């Protein structure tokens, strides 16, 4: 069976991990600090990697659920994924990342025979837990086709074409949400000025 490693177990990552584990794909995790969640996964038979390189060497696919500023170091750093990835591996970045960075990383990994998919996810920790995230994927179609069954474990995947498109759509989605919140705030202020209880 195909195996997945996950780097990052924050609010979104822990829900993603839970659903990948339920579906039988999660084999390894890496987090800089060992905490109760890591210990719990270890008791369930998940390998706790010593570094991103160690994690990459144990699995077919690597999911990232980490901040934008950490991605390049986790992928290309001293003990980064690049040193442990097998040819034809797939790295899946589910963070809120800069699409230009995603395209850069995809090109660098492609030169090493590894695929990179930028995957914008939406729904918050609650839907991450339920495995019902919106999942917008940019990158190589062949890699997406290989991974779509696994992505179904975390939500409803859609392939949106070339590298960067998954994170572009996530960026636009975030912008739309912010505009809605601003509109709600404006309407609440207007309600107060009209002597209404907002």
């Amino acid at each position: 069976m195909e195996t997945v490693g996950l780097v990052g177990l924050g609010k979104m990552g822990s829900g993603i991990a839970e659903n990948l584990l339920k579906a039988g794909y999660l084999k390894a995790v890496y987090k800089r600090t060992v905490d109760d969640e890591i210990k719990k996964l270890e008791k369930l038979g998940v390998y706790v990697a010593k570094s991103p390189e160690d994690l990459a060497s144990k699995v077919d696919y690597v999911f990232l659920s980490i901040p934008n500023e950490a991605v390049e170091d986790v992928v290309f750093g001293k003990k980064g994924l690049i040193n442990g990835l097998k040819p034809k591996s797939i790295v899946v970045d589910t963070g809120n990342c800069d699409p230009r960075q995603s395209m850069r990383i995809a090109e660098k990994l492609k030169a090493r025979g590894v695929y990179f998919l930028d995957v914008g996810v939406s729904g918050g920790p609650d839907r991450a837990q339920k495995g019902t995230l919106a999942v917008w994927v940019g990158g190589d179609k062949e890699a997406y086709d290989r991974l779509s069954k696994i992505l179904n474990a975390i939500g409803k995947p859609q392939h949106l074409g070339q590298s960067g498109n998954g994170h572009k759509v996530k960026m636009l989605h975030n912008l739309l949400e912010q505009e809605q919140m601003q509109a709600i705030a404006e309407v609440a202020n207007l309600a107060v000025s009209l002597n209404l209880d907002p």
Side-chain angles (χ1 to χ4, degrees):
M1 184 164 186
E2 294 164 307
T3 57
V4 173
L6 176 68
V7 178
L9 286 161
K11 289 178 183 173
M12 295 296 284
S14 51
I16 289 170
E18 199 174 298
N19 287 294
L20 289 172
L21 183 62
K22 265 190 233 163
Y25 297 115
L26 189 68
K27 183 182 177 182
V29 290
Y30 173 73
K31 190 178 179 185
R32 282 177 300 181
T33 54
V34 175
D35 57 16
D36 289 343
E37 187 166 13
I38 285 276
K39 288 174 187 168
K40 180 179 141 194
L41 287 168
E42 191 171 28
K43 281 180 187 164
L44 293 169
V46 178
Y47 175 73
V48 177
K50 294 160 190 64
S51 66
E53 176 184 2
D54 180 32
L55 177 130
S57 70
K58 304 281 191 287
V59 297
D60 302 306
Y61 311 120
V62 176
F63 278 54
L64 305 177
S65 185
I66 55 178
N68 181 59
E69 57 274 13
V71 174
E72 296 224 33
D73 188 52
V74 164
V75 177
F76 299 111
K78 192 176 172 193
K79 290 190 175 183
L81 298 174
I82 194 68
N83 303 305
L85 290 166
K86 305 170 193 118
K88 299 217 171 199
S89 293
I90 304 173
V91 177
V92 178
D93 183 5
T94 67
N96 286 330
C97 292
D98 183 334
R100 295 164 300 183
Q101 175 178 277
S102 300
M103 291 185 275
R104 240 186 359 258
I105 292 172
E107 278 304 306
K108 284 167 93 171
L109 287 178
K110 187 178 178 183
R112 303 283 288 266
V114 173
Y115 296 103
F116 181 85
L117 296 176
D118 53 286
V119 178
V121 297
S122 181
D126 185 51
R127 282 178 60 188
Q129 209 86 43
K130 292 175 183 165
T132 59
L133 291 167
V135 180
W136 301 303
V137 185
D140 187 273
K141 179 71 164 65
E142 182 193 328
Y144 170 77
D145 289 340
R146 281 172 52 202
L147 205 70
S148 62
K149 189 172 61 171
I150 294 171
L151 290 170
N152 272 304
I154 67 166
K156 296 177 181 166
Q158 286 179 283
H159 185 251
L160 302 177
Q162 68 186 17
S163 180
N165 284 1
H167 283 155
K168 285 176 188 174
V169 168
K170 173 61 176 171
M171 182 179 67
L172 293 173
H173 172 78
N174 286 355
L175 178 62
L176 188 59
E177 275 189 338
Q178 287 164 5
E179 290 296 330
Q180 286 175 329
M181 286 191 288
Q182 186 176 346
I184 290 166
E186 295 289 345
V187 169
N189 279 337
L190 186 56
V192 170
S193 73
L194 295 170
N195 297 316
L196 296 169
D197 181 344

